[in-house]
Amino acid sequence: GTVVAFGENDDGQCDVRHWKDVSAITTGYSSVYGSYTLGLRTDRTLVATRATPWREEIQQWRDIVSVARGDDHVVGLKADGTVVAAGENEYGQCDTNTLPWHNIKSIACGYQHTVGLRADGRVTATGYPFADSCEVCGPEWQDITIIACGFYHTAGLRANGTVIVTGTNDRGQCDTSSWKDIAMIACSDYAT
């Protein structure tokens, strides 16, 4: 349950040597605040390195089972299927306290958008409205088993092994129509 880190430490992102009882970690980079590291503890609380302006807020969260991060925001999935968020909210990427954000079983974040997979296999999204990365409604976005986000795109793995992607496609990151028998998906900034 301890954490080690190495590399550049300009923003304190490697200051994790005193962390204990950590079950999962993620790292991030904020264009405003620099690099940071987040840890999910076994008691379902979060710990964060000093570069995050919302560090104090997220360390008050309780009953967190998973965490996702965007550029300047962090989202936590609670055990009861609700979602909490902190950080930059210019495009509504932290607006997760409405009805579509209940019965969530997994979460993902892009640059300025947040996506949640509901227990019924449908997807909900909020945030950056200009790149279609939040266009996850309709019959083609049902029976989703896994979600992933890139910079300005969102991907969903369907139960039948096909992949649907919406959002900016300037580098071909949404060209998945021929994919079949897929078991897992992941996204980076401009790739799926």
Side-chain angles (χ1 to χ4, degrees):
T2 60
V3 181
V4 294
F6 68 96
E8 280 190 29
N9 196 32
D10 295 347
D11 301 313
Q13 64 267 34
C14 293
D15 296 341
V16 297
R17 64 186 173 279
H18 299 294
W19 291 7
K20 295 183 184 334
D21 300 319
V22 175
S23 60
I25 56 172
T26 187
T27 61
Y29 175 78
S30 162
S31 58
V32 176
Y33 306 107
S35 299
Y36 58 89
T37 304
L38 301 175
L40 177 59
R41 293 184 177 129
T42 55
D43 68 357
R44 295 184 175 178
T45 61
L46 294 176
V47 62
T49 56
R50 65 183 161 88
T52 55
W54 17 259
R55 176 181 173 184
E56 297 302 317
E57 181 178 352
I58 66 172
Q59 289 183 156
Q60 300 304 310
W61 292 353
R62 298 292 178 260
D63 215 18
I64 303 297
V65 294
S66 69
V67 64
R69 52 106 191 136
D71 182 50
D72 293 322
H73 74 292
V74 173
V75 180
L77 175 61
K78 298 182 81 171
D80 66 1
T82 58
V83 178
V84 290
E88 176 63 48
N89 196 32
E90 180 179 358
Y91 299 105
Q93 60 265 43
C94 292
D95 294 342
T96 59
N97 56 355
T98 61
L99 186 58
W101 287 94
H102 289 66
N103 297 316
I104 302 294
K105 68 177 189 176
S106 69
I107 51 175
C109 291
Y111 176 63
Q112 294 173 325
H113 69 288
T114 303
V115 180
L117 176 60
R118 298 199 303 243
D120 63 5
R122 292 184 295 156
V123 180
T124 190
T126 188
Y128 195 73
F130 306 114
D132 292 335
S133 55
C134 294
E135 297 298 317
V136 294
C137 296
E140 65 276 6
W141 280 91
Q142 294 184 21
D143 278 339
I144 303 296
T145 60
I146 298 172
I147 53 173
C149 293
F151 210 65
Y152 292 122
H153 71 288
T154 300
L157 175 63
R158 295 183 184 115
N160 66 5
T162 61
V163 177
I164 184 169
V165 185
T166 188
T168 301
N169 194 32
D170 56 349
R171 299 186 188 175
Q173 59 265 46
C174 297
D175 297 339
T176 61
S177 60
S178 64
W179 293 11
K180 298 190 180 350
D181 300 320
I182 304 298
M184 179 65 71
I185 57 171
C187 294
S188 64
D189 289 350
Y190 300 103
T192 303

